[in-house]
Amino acid sequence: MYTQSMDLPQGPAAEPRGGPRDATDLEADARFEARIAADRKVEAQDWMPDAYRRTLVRQISQHAHSEVVGMLPEGNWVTRAPSLKRKAILLAKIQDEGGHGLYLYSAAETLGTSRDQMVGALHSGKAKYSSIFNYPTLTWADMGAVGWLVDGAAIMNQIPLCRCSYGPYARAMIRICKEESFHQRQGFDIMLSLARGTPAQKAMAQDALNRWWWPVVMMFGPSDAESIHSAQTMKWGIKRISNDDLRQKFIDATVPQAELLGLTIPDPDLKWNAERGHYEHGTIDWTEFWNVVNGNGPCNRERLAARVRAHEKGTWVREAAMAHAAKERARAERVAA
Ligand SMILES: [Fe+2]
Ligand SMILES: [Fe+2]
């Protein structure tokens, strides 16, 4: 999965590297601006302003953390999937999310920040991840709702990132988006089976939609008027479509899917505006959004604790891999000598 409002406030995650200092650097700055204006990719070895680099590190690492923390709510259901087929699909999906985290950490590392620094910022609570993963997954239908809605919202957010001005991020997103599309379909398929099942199964699907709808609508982040980083990230070609426009695209695409499922979106004010050619939605409870962003959602502490525990338990694996790599290197050097 996911991303959210990747323009949430957060302390600096990276040591700045490079930046304009004299006439030569002003020239470099002009070359950078020209590259952005011509819609050409910026690559790791190119000069870039410190603020651009810091913004990318914040956004890409926040995105990577979201992929990895996003494995936790679904991991809860691997042992309780209703069939072998569903279990295999869910496992594959969760593994994909781990892979997304790895591509993204690697993309962020090209900007001069180490994996340890990024993981350290997550574990200390300094770095953000998508708030959606601070909600609990209470029933099997939540696996459907998460895939259908959370991964569906992620796709809306991530497709424009395939055209992001920073090359390594844009290229990582192309592969990620292909996998997200499978995630969205598997979620919808779970919802469809439940919606066509017994009345109790359909009620379970409706209950999951009721609980996930508003948090998912909030995933696109604060409205454009409130969004603190949006204008600059759009100017730099990192962000291509505004939070509100992405939210609108998601709602317009999802309402007919809910109709097909025979489920009701829990928004009494949701209505089609024929003149605008879009759905209008009810008021979003931003107090809840900021509450969860600021660490007070239903599962914030549990998620972070689980992540730190997993990292600590994996220490021996990292040490063994490093020892193996050192041995291989020594062996290669002996052969070469
Ligand atoms: Fe996903
Ligand atoms: Fe993902």
Side-chain angles (χ1 to χ4, degrees), residues 280-307:
E280 279 171 6
H281 61 81
T283 313
I284 298 172
D285 180 2
W286 291 112
T287 316
E288 175 182 332
F289 174 77
W290 287 114
N291 205 22
V292 182
V293 167
N294 290 324
N296 302 313
C299 301
N300 292 58
R301 282 167 199 83
E302 182 187 328
R303 297 286 183 244
L304 206 54
R307 182 85 279 288

Side-chain angles (χ1 to χ4, degrees), residues 50-62:
D50 284 345
Y52 177 82
R53 187 186 298 276
R54 276 199 306 273
T55 298
L56 279 170
V57 169
R58 184 187 65 240
Q59 173 162 334
I60 303 173
S61 62
Q62 197 165 295

Side-chain angles (χ1 to χ4, degrees), residues 108-293:
E109 280 177 312
T110 64
L111 292 156
T113 305
S114 73
R115 180 93 55 101
D116 283 347
Q117 272 175 295
M118 290 184 273
V119 170
L122 172 67
H123 292 179
S124 69
K126 221 167 68 185
K128 301 283 184 208
Y129 56 85
S130 178
S131 285
I132 197 75
F133 301 119
N134 291 317
Y135 289 87
T137 43
L138 303 178
T139 70
W140 172 252
D142 288 30
M143 295 303 94
V146 167
W148 172 39
L149 300 172
V150 176
D151 291 86
I155 295 171
M156 288 293 172
N157 242 327
Q158 294 178 172
I159 284 179
L161 289 171
C162 298
R163 294 186 292 117
C164 160
S165 59
Y166 188 56
Y169 192 25
R171 289 189 289 275
M173 291 319 302
I174 293 170
R175 179 161 176 178
I176 289 176
C177 282
K178 288 183 181 158
E179 294 178 346
E180 294 302 352
S181 142
F182 153 67
H183 300 169
Q184 196 266 355
R185 282 164 201 219
Q186 68 86 37
F188 187 80
D189 189 59
I190 293 174
M191 292 303 268
L192 195 59
S193 296
L194 292 172
R196 289 178 176 171
T198 63
Q201 287 172 319
K202 187 169 182 186
M204 192 192 278
Q206 181 64 57
D207 172 65
L209 172 57
N210 292 349
R211 284 179 291 105
W212 286 94
W213 176 255
W214 286 107
V216 167
V217 166
M218 292 177 206
M219 270 176 71
F220 296 93
S223 72
D224 296 342
E226 310 277 320
S227 190
I228 51 170
H229 296 295
S230 280
Q232 185 60 64
T233 53
M234 287 186 89
K235 196 170 143 245
W236 276 330
I238 297 173
K239 192 175 175 68
R240 300 281 184 178
I241 304 180
S242 79
N243 292 355
D244 286 335
D245 288 349
L246 286 169
R247 188 168 10 248
Q248 183 71 65
K249 274 165 88 80
F250 170 77
I251 293 174
D252 289 347
T254 310
V255 173
Q257 294 169 4
E259 281 167 3
L260 197 145
L261 292 170
L263 300 178
T264 309
I265 289 180
D267 178 358
D269 296 325
L270 188 75
K271 58 174 185 294
W272 177 250
N273 182 326
E275 214 171 286
R276 284 179 59 230
H278 292 295
Y279 282 94
E280 279 171 6
H281 61 81
T283 313
I284 298 172
D285 180 2
W286 291 112
T287 316
E288 175 182 332
F289 174 77
W290 287 114
N291 205 22
V292 182
V293 167

Side-chain angles (χ1 to χ4, degrees), residues 4-125:
Q4 81 186 349
S5 51
M6 293 203 278
D7 51 359
L8 289 173
Q10 180 181 309
E15 285 302 311
R17 196 178 71 171
R21 291 162 298 271
D22 54 28
T24 329
D25 292 319
L26 288 176
E27 255 172 55
D29 201 14
R31 272 202 304 277
F32 171 83
E33 292 294 339
R35 185 180 286 261
I36 296 284
D39 214 5
R40 283 185 10 243
K41 294 273 179 266
V42 177
E43 297 297 338
Q45 68 276 10
D46 294 331
W47 183 91
M48 63 189 85
D50 284 345
Y52 177 82
R53 187 186 298 276
R54 276 199 306 273
T55 298
L56 279 170
V57 169
R58 184 187 65 240
Q59 173 162 334
I60 303 173
S61 62
Q62 197 165 295
H63 191 166
H65 300 327
S66 302
E67 299 284 354
V68 172
V69 176
M71 297 163 81
L72 297 171
E74 291 179 308
N76 276 345
W77 282 91
V78 172
T79 55
R80 290 177 284 168
S83 69
L84 182 59
K85 187 178 146 203
R86 290 290 186 202
K87 185 189 290 235
I89 295 171
L90 184 61
L91 258 178
K93 194 251 188 205
I94 296 170
Q95 283 181 332
D96 282 355
E97 307 300 10
H100 297 174
L102 292 182
Y103 310 152
L104 291 165
Y105 282 128
S106 301
E109 280 177 312
T110 64
L111 292 156
T113 305
S114 73
R115 180 93 55 101
D116 283 347
Q117 272 175 295
M118 290 184 273
V119 170
L122 172 67
H123 292 179
S124 69

